Amino acid sequence: MTARTDTPSAGWRDWLTTDTPHSRAQARLGRAWAGWAAFRRNRLAVAGLLIVLALVVVAALAPVLAPYHPYAQDLNGRLLPPSAAHWLGTDAFGRDILSRLIHGARLTLMIVALVAATAPLAGLVIGTAAGYFGGWVDTVLMRITDIALAFPKLILALAFVAALGPGIENAVIAIAITSWPPYARIARAETLTVRRADFISAARLQGASSLRIILGHIMPLCVASLIVRTTLDMAGVILTAAGLGFLGLGAQPPLPEWGAMIASGRQYVLEQWWVAAMPGFAIFIVSLGFNLLGDGLRDVLDPKGD
């Protein structure tokens, strides 16, 4: 006799992996399940996902997880090394570095979320419009894109922040303004590959407007590539924000932004190394997590991949 395998989990798995789905929802869920199965086979990608999820959890539970208030000063406990009372030591004002890193995760996540919600969307609109309409529209939009790409991102962000004034809000605006050109390039390339496709011609013959074709048929095909590029770019966004904070043009004291924390500890780097090393290590870990996650998503979402 053979053991029964008709468990609820096996039934759901068979329903998701069937070759003959009975609805669009089943087909979409099946594709999502197949993508997740491929993603979780990449251990480095799963590690990157766990790092990003940890960042989200730490940011959400910062008041609970932080052992001290991030702004609480103790001048009698300045520059203390890591110990049982202060796991990562204290800074020049006696503030607990661990607590400031935990609360700084909120600022990092806010910057990442705002840039990810604005720059790819702007690039998607510009790239699909340029690729679909072509002609002078393509020429004008792509020459603007080329001009933006000609400048190093950090230098261009410095120029915008200098014009707008220091502050984390202006830093986010500057980073978003300087981040959209690569997304426009990707969206344009994807659009050029499908604008002459039969289904686009069929939609046009049925009377669909250019706006409806772009929104309903072309943009959804560009989303996968943009998601991958966005995830990979988040490490650069974090480093750019940290660079602006290090130069005093990003988050202003006493905000616990990681780049500003490194700047405040650079004069103690030889003797009290933990003041600058701990926020630098946090930037390294989070940037590595986004890079690993982006590599895993690229393997899953890129239809041209192996």
Side-chain angles (χ1 to χ4, degrees):
M1 296 180 63
T2 58
R4 292 174 60 89
T5 59
D6 53 345
T7 61
S9 60
W12 275 105
R13 190 179 299 109
D14 293 339
W15 184 80
L16 290 171
T17 58
T18 180
D19 295 331
T20 56
H22 299 291
S23 64
R24 291 184 179 181
Q26 184 179 0
R28 291 170 180 170
L29 290 174
R31 287 196 299 269
W33 173 262
W36 166 247
F39 179 85
R40 68 182 181 182
R41 287 195 293 269
N42 188 336
R43 295 184 178 181
L44 291 177
V46 173
L49 176 62
L50 293 177
I51 292 173
V52 173
L53 290 178
L55 174 68
V56 175
V57 171
V58 169
L61 301 178
V64 178
L65 297 177
Y68 300 92
H69 193 279
Y71 304 136
Q73 300 183 13
D74 181 10
L75 298 181
N76 293 322
R78 298 174 62 251
L79 303 174
L80 294 178
S83 62
H86 301 280
W87 287 5
L88 300 183
T90 61
D91 63 8
F93 294 96
R95 297 172 298 194
D96 183 66
I97 293 178
L98 175 60
S99 300
R100 290 179 62 77
L101 286 180
I102 291 175
H103 282 270
R106 287 187 162 186
L107 297 176
T108 299
L109 190 62
M110 181 193 72
I111 294 171
V112 167
L114 291 176
V115 173
T118 53
L121 181 60
L124 178 63
V125 172
I126 293 172
T128 52
Y132 181 80
F133 292 109
W136 68 268
V137 175
D138 184 26
T139 300
V140 171
L141 292 179
M142 286 301 101
R143 294 302 75 77
I144 295 174
T145 303
D146 290 339
I147 293 172
L149 287 172
F151 295 93
K153 184 183 295 186
L154 181 58
I155 301 301
L156 199 57
L158 286 172
F160 280 113
V161 173
L164 297 172
I168 191 168
E169 297 85 0
N170 292 337
V172 171
I173 294 173
I175 295 172
I177 292 175
T178 58
S179 298
W180 66 265
Y183 303 107
R185 280 290 187 185
I186 293 174
R188 177 180 179 271
E190 296 280 354
T191 304
L192 290 176
T193 61
V194 301
R195 70 172 182 175
R196 304 297 184 188
D198 291 341
F199 70 93
I200 297 295
S201 300
R204 193 179 295 113
L205 289 174
Q206 291 176 354
S209 64
S210 298
L211 180 62
R212 182 174 180 180
I213 292 174
I214 291 175
L215 294 177
H217 298 281
I218 295 179
M219 282 188 177
L221 297 176
C222 303
V223 169
S225 298
L226 291 185
I227 289 175
V228 173
R229 179 62 192 242
T230 301
T231 309
L232 290 171
D233 278 355
M234 288 305 100
V237 168
I238 293 172
L239 292 174
T240 302
L244 293 176
F246 181 85
L247 296 173
L249 296 175
Q252 299 299 298
L255 288 177
E257 197 274 325
W258 293 347
M261 291 175 64
I262 295 177
S264 65
R266 67 182 184 273
Q267 58 183 317
Y268 311 108
V269 70
L270 294 180
E271 296 183 0
Q272 290 82 24
W273 54 268
W274 56 87
V275 180
M278 297 306 179
F281 186 70
I283 293 173
F284 167 75
I285 291 296
V286 174
S287 299
L288 178 63
F290 275 108
N291 281 331
L292 295 177
L293 177 60
D295 286 339
L297 290 177
R298 180 179 57 192
D299 294 339
V300 172
L301 298 178
D302 185 6
K304 298 178 287 296
D306 294 333

